[in-house]
Amino acid sequence: MFNKNPIIWSDYPDLDVIRVEDTYYMISTTMHFMPGGAILKSYDLVHWEMESYVYESLDNTPGQCLEENKSIYGKGMWAASLRFHKGIFYVCFVANDTGKTYLYTARDIKGPWSKQNIDGFYHDCSLLFDEDDRVYIVYGNKTLYLTELNEELTAPKEGGLHRILATDTGKVNLGYEGAHIYKINGKYYVFLIHWLAEGTKRRTECCLMSDSLEGEFTGRDVLDDDMGYHNAGVAQGGIVDTPEGEWYGMLFQDHGAIGRIPVLVPVYWEQDFPVFGVDGKVPLKIEVPSTRPEYRYKPLAESDDFKYLPEEDGRIHLKKVWQFNHTPDNSLWSVTEEPEAYRIRTGKLSPNVLLAVNTLTQRLMGPVSETSVTVCGSGLKDGDFAGICVLQGCYGYIALTKEKENYYLVMTGKELTRDESIWGPEGGDKNPGREYERIPINGSQATLKIISNFENGKDEADFYYLRGQEWCRLGITQKLHFRLDHFTGARVGLFCYSTRFTGGTADFRQFTFHC
């Protein structure tokens, strides 16, 4: 049975993929979301489910915790390297807010993971465990470096190999980066991306090869294709072999507001050099034999009735599809305090939803996602907002709010103004957004819905509330934008924040997700 490419219509960028016996594992960038370091599992490279996270929180800095009006949007964990060597899993990445390089290790992909740092900052890094037990890290932007690490993997090895592997001297808007290094049949391969300034003018996959780490690395572009989608080049990611010896590249493609989505590309070998795609093109349909054909995968986005009980370790574990926006304050959320509800209690004042603590998120899915939730606001205080949002720099939400003991529904959005660059406005996470419509309601409870449409770059969201048996639209159609201020695809979020008094509560029930 053939499956559509791209294989996942959701934001899973900067992919690295490995196979351990009959199981494939894939890691993706998670930026400012916690827990971080999302690892997915598959038996056929096409269908995936969440397996684990590498860490629950990183360093708990004020920015990571949304304290002192700070945030780490667009920063945090980027472009991890995933490796399995002599019975140990390794995950290595940099965090662009702390300027540090992190190395996590575990004997089980589910953890527990041990954390350490590697001295230095290694942008878009990739680990190589060579056959002589020497370990190297490849990294860089435009100029590509290789550095040998010490046995403890804590710093460069004194007197070890350190060199420039290559410099992108072509006419490019973005030089070599996104490195992935492998040793295959005695030869060394580094896969990279760059963004051409001439010709197709898009992201392109490149490969450099050498017979030794001290030799000259030479190569060429190996994939320059947009699959007919808005000149968005398919590039950046790892390669992996099947038990039968076939090879595939797991790359990604920019897809507007939904984010950067995974694309599976067959890889062949001619004279020891990789050839991507079929006649230079990414196939729109693809099939990979499963190592466990009867396996049924858990969805990557799903509904939640918030019926949770403590597990064997005595803790509550939310469904793996959920991540918090930044590090949560675990003293201010609960799924047991009020039965069958996710409760948020506010602990600080926030100017908008972007600085709200304990916002619970899931990746939205293309082409269309329909998400809804019932919000009980009997515990709100004046000036509190509790609702459901599309979370991005240009966010939009529908929320319940309270003023002088009266309840209202509001639709608020953040506009993209003409003077904003792709990076977003200075101090944009403190902008309160614009309230487009407000209506009074009877009672303190409302069922709210968002329909997010990403079909062919439409990238917009509409907001609804349930009145009797009828869904009624509120506010405007919010235009969504993928920009570097957040550097992530659109997500749905459940939130509550206070603008005047702390200590208000909101309960969220019966969250539904349809796509």
Side-chain angles (χ1 to χ4, degrees), residues 198-395:
E198 297 180 337
T200 58
K201 297 183 180 180
R202 62 190 177 210
R203 299 171 68 255
T204 302
E205 185 77 5
C206 176
C207 179
L208 305 178
M209 182 187 75
S210 179
D211 291 329
S212 77
L213 292 178
E214 297 180 354
E216 181 183 7
F217 277 77
T218 60
R220 59 182 179 271
D221 291 346
V222 292
L223 183 65
D224 184 4
D225 185 33
D226 69 348
M227 302 178 68
Y229 184 82
H230 300 285
N231 204 40
V234 176
Q236 190 170 343
I239 65 170
V240 67
D241 65 340
T242 69
E244 294 75 27
E246 296 180 342
W247 287 84
Y248 292 87
M250 187 65 73
L251 311 180
F252 73 79
Q253 182 181 42
D254 294 334
H255 249 255
I258 195 67
R260 298 173 288 171
I261 67 179
V263 177
L264 187 62
V265 185
V267 177
Y268 310 95
W269 299 86
E270 293 181 358
Q271 297 180 344
D272 295 327
F273 200 79
V275 177
F276 278 64
V278 179
D279 297 326
K281 300 292 184 180
V282 177
L284 300 182
K285 294 184 178 181
I286 195 162
E287 181 182 29
V288 181
S290 176
T291 60
R292 300 190 191 182
E294 302 303 317
Y295 189 81
R296 296 294 176 262
Y297 294 86
K298 298 176 182 177
L300 291 173
E302 59 180 315
S303 303
D304 200 339
D305 58 11
F306 298 112
K307 295 178 181 179
Y308 288 96
L309 293 173
E311 298 187 15
E312 292 181 0
D313 60 2
R315 301 173 57 201
I316 296 291
H317 296 274
L318 298 177
K319 291 184 177 183
K320 294 176 184 177
V321 294
W322 290 115
Q323 287 177 285
F324 290 97
N325 178 24
H326 290 65
T327 303
D329 184 335
N330 292 326
S331 69
L332 295 175
W333 72 269
S334 173
V335 289
T336 57
E337 190 173 312
E338 178 68 18
E340 300 180 20
Y342 172 61
R343 169 168 286 184
I344 302 175
R345 176 174 285 104
T346 66
K348 67 165 190 172
L349 303 184
S350 301
N352 65 17
V353 68
L354 295 183
L355 292 176
V357 176
N358 292 337
T359 297
L360 196 58
T361 79
Q362 289 191 40
R363 295 170 180 82
L364 289 170
M365 307 287 290
V368 177
S369 288
E370 183 175 315
T371 53
S372 68
V373 71
T374 296
V375 183
C376 178
S378 60
L380 293 179
K381 297 186 178 182
D382 280 7
D384 289 355
F385 293 84
I388 185 170
C389 69
V390 177
L391 184 64
Q392 255 183 337
C394 290
Y395 60 84

Side-chain angles (χ1 to χ4, degrees), residues 26 109 191 201 272 349 383 404 426 468:
M26 179 168 72
I109 197 73
F191 295 88
K201 297 183 180 180
D272 295 327
L349 303 184
K404 298 180 180 178
E426 187 70 25

Side-chain angles (χ1 to χ4, degrees), residues 9 229-230 254-259 364-369 390 392 394 416 451-462 464 473 476-482 490:
W9 203 337
Y229 184 82
H230 300 285
D254 294 334
H255 249 255
I258 195 67
L364 289 170
M365 307 287 290
V368 177
S369 288
V390 177
Q392 255 183 337
C394 290
L416 177 67
I451 298 178
S452 306
N453 191 332
F454 305 98
E455 182 72 55
N456 197 30
K458 195 171 185 179
D459 294 351
E460 61 186 32
D462 289 294
Y464 301 84
R473 192 165 174 265
I476 66 165
T477 295
Q478 176 70 34
K479 185 65 177 174
L480 307 173
H481 302 271
F482 181 94

